[in-house]
């Protein structure tokens, strides 16, 4: 029988304990220099860059400031990409594959740079990313990809057999793993809170619970109709990622939103979290729809994510489902209660690339395919530099062809089929077998 919690599960993210959602401004101005729709990492990174370059910036969000995915994610900071190095090399040539991976690495470094430049207190630690593989096929293809990255870019990695893996993660559910020593994690709530603090200190104006309804004019002056009146702005940036709506239909047709889910245990006794992940790596397995697990930054609890893009359910229900997976994956947690179960929206794209750019005079940066912590930071800044007309804004991800498919407007009718296919491929892995 399914084990039930004695205490009710909190549907707010674990991260909000240390980084509560702030209260913004109630009124909106009718004029802005640069107006940003969305108030997550992308918006903050762009805003800080613009403010430092003398521009005035107003951020609006339909909800509370920072309450999108930026304060809901797992906090992994990685240079992972949906296309393997070999695939990129085959399709675009070696030089391109190297260039793109260098930029992915730059995106990780951009997080470190913000943290160092502004002395952000957000528990950024590069203690290693552990990637358990459920079988020898996954293990070998992971090794091949990492070997290429090491050869061409010098990115370090180490392959671990099952017994070595068990010194890293208290489970016998995997065949082996790769360890990438220079990647890690952050406290996403604190990261966003600190970025917001910097932006406010530079003069950012933030307006919460203001939904942008329509772009009335995208000419020299952009006019945006919102739930609290019309705002005219010289420049308009859309930083709405998984929450992108029909405000700019061209963009919405290119974005595939999906839900991601996480849980956090209550504080665990007797250094249990350290026993489970002794070297405090951030862990993500190699399934098509992966499980990801990490210690909380204070080392007191364990967080797990999975069941991405599965049918929506109450946070209580999802929490129990994820708890079942957690306890099968990590049997030491058998008696643990779940304190938080939450969800957030991510977005993918049809070519599985993140995209930043300008279309019909409107700037955008989104479609991060689950790496929005580094990519939102990196492309938010790049986007702002482009807006400022600066050469440093150059990136492979700016204004590249942004595909869609015929008849797709808003409803991602194909998503359940794609994830069913992933399920099919994942049969025999913990991500599938422990879930169903
Ligand atoms: C559970 C989960 C785990 C994840 N784990 C990781 C991870 O470990 N590492 C990683 O790199 N990435 C991860 N991600 C993805 C990452 O969180 C996102 O890619 C990133 O936060 C996107 O930031 P953003 O600023 O672009 O958008 P968001 O932070 O999502 O903000 C978008 C905002 O736009 C607002 N908005 C949308 N439309 C309108 C409108 N019309 N008017 C006004 N406001 C509007 C929304 O209200 C929202 O607040 C995860 C995501 C989730 C949900």
């Amino acid at each position: 029988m399914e084990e039930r919690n004695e205490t009710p599960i909190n549907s707010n993210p674990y991260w909000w304990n240390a980084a509560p959602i702030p209260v913004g401004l109630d009124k909106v101005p009718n004029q802005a220099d640069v107006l940003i729709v969305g108030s997550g990492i992308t918006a903050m990174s762009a805003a800080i860059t613009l403010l430092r370059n003398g521009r005035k910036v107003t951020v609006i969000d339909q909800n509370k400031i920072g309450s999108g995915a930026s304060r809901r994610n797992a906090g992994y900071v990685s240079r992972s990409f949906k296309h393997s190095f070999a695939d990129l090399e085959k399709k675009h040539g070696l030089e391109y594959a190297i260039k793109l991976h260098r930029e992915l690495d730059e995106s990780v470094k951009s997080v470190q740079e913000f943290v160092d430049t502004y002395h952000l207190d957000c528990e950024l630690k590069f203690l290693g990313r552990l990637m358990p593989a459920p079988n020898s096929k996954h293990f070998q293809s992971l090794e091949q990809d990492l070997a290429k990255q090491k050869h061409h870019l010098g990115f370090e990695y180490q392959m671990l057999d099952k017994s070595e893996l068990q010194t890293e993660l208290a489970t016998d559910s995997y065949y082996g793993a790769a360890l990438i020593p220079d990647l890690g994690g952050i406290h996403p709530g604190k990261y966003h809170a600190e970025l917001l603090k910097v932006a406010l200190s530079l003069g950012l104006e933030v307006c919460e619970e203001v939904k942008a309804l329509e772009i009335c004019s995208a000419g020299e002056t952009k006019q945006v109709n919102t739930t609290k009146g019309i705002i005219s702005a010289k420049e308009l940036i859309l930083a709405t990622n998984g929450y992108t709506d029909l405000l700019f239909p061209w963009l919405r047709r290119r974005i595939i939103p999906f839900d991601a889910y996480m849980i956090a245990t209550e504080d665990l006794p007797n250094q249990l979290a350290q026993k489970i992940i002794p070297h405090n790596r951030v862990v993500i397995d190699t399934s098509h729809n992966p499980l990801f697990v990490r210690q909380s930054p204070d080392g007191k609890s364990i967080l797990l994510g999975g069941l991405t893009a599965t049918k929506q359910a109450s946070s209580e229900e999802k929490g129990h489902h994820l708890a079942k997976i957690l306890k099968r994956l990590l049997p030491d947690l058998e008696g643990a209660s779940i304190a938080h179960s939450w969800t957030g929206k991510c977005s993918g794209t049809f070519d599985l690339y993140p995209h930043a750019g300008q279309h019909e005079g409107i700037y955008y940066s989104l479609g991060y395919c689950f790496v929005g912590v580094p990519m939102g930071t990196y492309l938010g800044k790049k986007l702002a530099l482009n807006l400022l007309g600066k050469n440093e804004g150059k990136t492979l991800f700016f204004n590249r062809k942004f595909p869609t498919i015929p008849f797709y407007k808003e409803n991602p009718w194909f998503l359940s089929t794609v994830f069913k296919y992933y399920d099919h491929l994942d049969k025999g892995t913990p991500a599938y077998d422990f879930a169903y």
Side-chain angles (χ1 to χ4, degrees):
M1 208 178 91
E2 209 171 80
E3 197 172 310
R4 292 272 148 182
N5 258 25
E6 276 168 24
T7 47
I9 299 179
N10 185 339
S11 62
N12 284 337
Y14 161 84
W15 312 112
W16 295 9
N17 293 344
I21 292 298
V23 179
L25 291 180
D26 194 30
K27 289 203 191 107
V28 292
N30 44 30
Q31 301 263 335
D33 176 12
V34 182
L35 175 65
I36 305 182
V37 180
S39 65
I41 295 169
T42 307
M44 291 307 126
S45 168
I48 290 169
T49 310
L50 290 164
L51 289 158
R52 285 204 52 174
N53 282 277
R55 300 298 294 259
K56 289 173 91 178
V57 184
T58 304
V59 157
I60 61 169
D61 200 294
Q62 62 192 352
N63 296 318
K64 297 281 181 199
I65 301 303
S67 64
S70 294
R71 288 200 196 194
R72 294 173 176 274
N73 62 71
Y76 288 25
V77 182
S78 86
R79 52 177 174 255
S80 56
F81 196 54
K82 294 288 173 202
H83 301 279
S84 70
F85 189 96
D87 284 349
L88 289 172
E89 185 183 0
K90 203 163 132 199
K91 199 160 172 205
H92 304 285
L94 179 61
E95 202 183 319
Y96 179 91
I98 291 175
K99 212 169 151 193
L100 189 135
H101 274 78
R102 285 228 187 283
E103 277 214 44
L104 298 175
D105 196 40
E106 283 300 309
S107 75
V108 171
K109 292 193 172 120
S110 72
V111 177
Q112 181 78 65
E113 196 185 300
F114 268 96
V115 169
D116 291 346
T117 306
Y118 300 105
H119 311 290
L120 309 184
D121 172 15
C122 55
E123 327 233 19
L124 175 64
K125 287 187 189 132
F126 291 110
L127 297 176
R129 175 180 174 93
L130 186 71
M131 301 184 70
N135 55 45
S136 62
K137 199 172 154 207
H138 280 227
F139 186 84
Q140 278 157 18
S141 76
L142 181 61
E143 185 169 20
Q144 276 166 15
D145 196 49
L146 293 173
K148 274 190 174 286
Q149 292 185 33
K150 160 116 195 200
H151 179 72
H152 293 294
L153 294 129
F155 297 163
E156 293 296 337
Y157 73 99
Q158 197 188 333
M159 297 308 290
L160 310 178
D161 65 21
K162 186 168 183 133
S163 63
E164 289 166 326
L165 165 60
Q166 284 173 324
T167 67
E168 293 282 354
L169 184 66
T171 183
D172 64 358
S173 300
Y174 294 102
Y175 174 87
L179 174 62
I180 305 172
D182 64 333
L183 298 177
I186 202 165
H187 187 304
K190 289 189 182 177
Y191 181 47
H192 180 272
E194 291 277 293
L195 288 173
L196 176 62
K197 202 162 88 184
V198 173
L200 289 171
S201 74
L202 293 168
L204 177 72
E205 182 172 36
V206 286
C207 312
E208 67 184 17
E209 294 176 340
V210 182
K211 185 174 168 66
L213 298 169
E214 191 190 356
I215 301 168
C216 313
S217 157
E220 207 153 290
T221 302
K222 279 81 188 160
Q223 288 209 315
V224 180
N225 187 18
T226 76
T227 44
K228 293 192 180 162
I230 289 183
I231 307 176
S232 302
K234 285 196 196 122
E235 304 290 358
L236 175 61
I237 294 178
L238 304 184
T240 48
N241 201 44
Y243 298 83
T244 302
D245 56 18
L246 284 169
L247 176 65
F248 190 28
W250 177 87
L251 195 59
R252 183 64 190 79
R253 291 195 60 213
R254 284 157 175 81
I255 285 297
I256 310 158
F258 56 87
D259 297 305
Y261 303 97
M262 289 194 72
I263 52 170
T265 65
E266 285 188 336
D267 285 359
L268 299 166
N270 309 327
Q271 302 277 304
L272 187 51
Q274 286 68 35
K275 186 178 162 209
I276 288 169
I277 311 176
H279 304 110
N280 202 0
R281 320 286 192 195
V282 291
V283 183
I284 180 162
D285 76 17
T286 60
S287 314
H288 292 85
N289 193 355
L291 295 175
F292 41 103
V293 58
R294 63 171 288 182
Q295 280 184 24
S296 58
D298 65 5
K300 291 184 179 162
S301 57
I302 292 286
L303 280 59
L304 172 117
L307 300 175
T308 302
T310 52
K311 212 167 145 209
Q312 289 178 344
S314 69
S315 53
E316 190 91 355
E317 248 176 277
K318 275 290 177 211
H320 288 303
H321 195 170
L322 284 171
K324 193 180 97 181
I325 298 172
L326 180 71
K327 290 169 187 191
R328 287 194 65 188
L329 184 72
L330 303 168
D332 289 325
L333 289 175
E334 184 47 45
S337 288
I338 302 306
H340 296 260
S341 164
W342 70 97
T343 181
K345 287 196 179 297
C346 302
S347 80
T349 55
F350 289 100
D351 59 2
L352 302 176
Y353 276 66
H355 285 264
Q358 190 191 22
H359 183 78
E360 293 176 354
I362 296 162
Y363 288 92
Y364 58 85
S365 178
L366 70 191
Y368 302 127
C369 305
F370 235 66
V371 287
V373 174
M375 265 299 159
T377 306
Y378 180 69
L379 289 184
K381 181 175 175 183
K382 289 285 184 189
L383 184 74
L385 291 169
N386 272 287
L387 188 152
L388 293 162
K390 291 192 184 277
N391 261 345
E392 306 98 282
K394 262 192 150 179
T395 159
L396 276 178
F397 300 102
F398 193 80
N399 268 351
R400 55 181 302 121
K401 192 166 174 256
F402 200 168
T404 182
I405 55 168
F407 309 116
Y408 175 56
K409 283 197 179 120
E410 186 184 15
N411 171 28
W413 45 268
F414 43 82
L415 202 60
S416 65
T417 313
V418 171
F419 275 84
K420 271 197 190 113
Y421 178 60
Y422 288 168
D423 279 351
H424 169 72
L425 296 174
D426 283 342
K427 277 188 183 147
T429 73
Y432 182 86
D433 292 358
F434 295 173
Y436 301 105

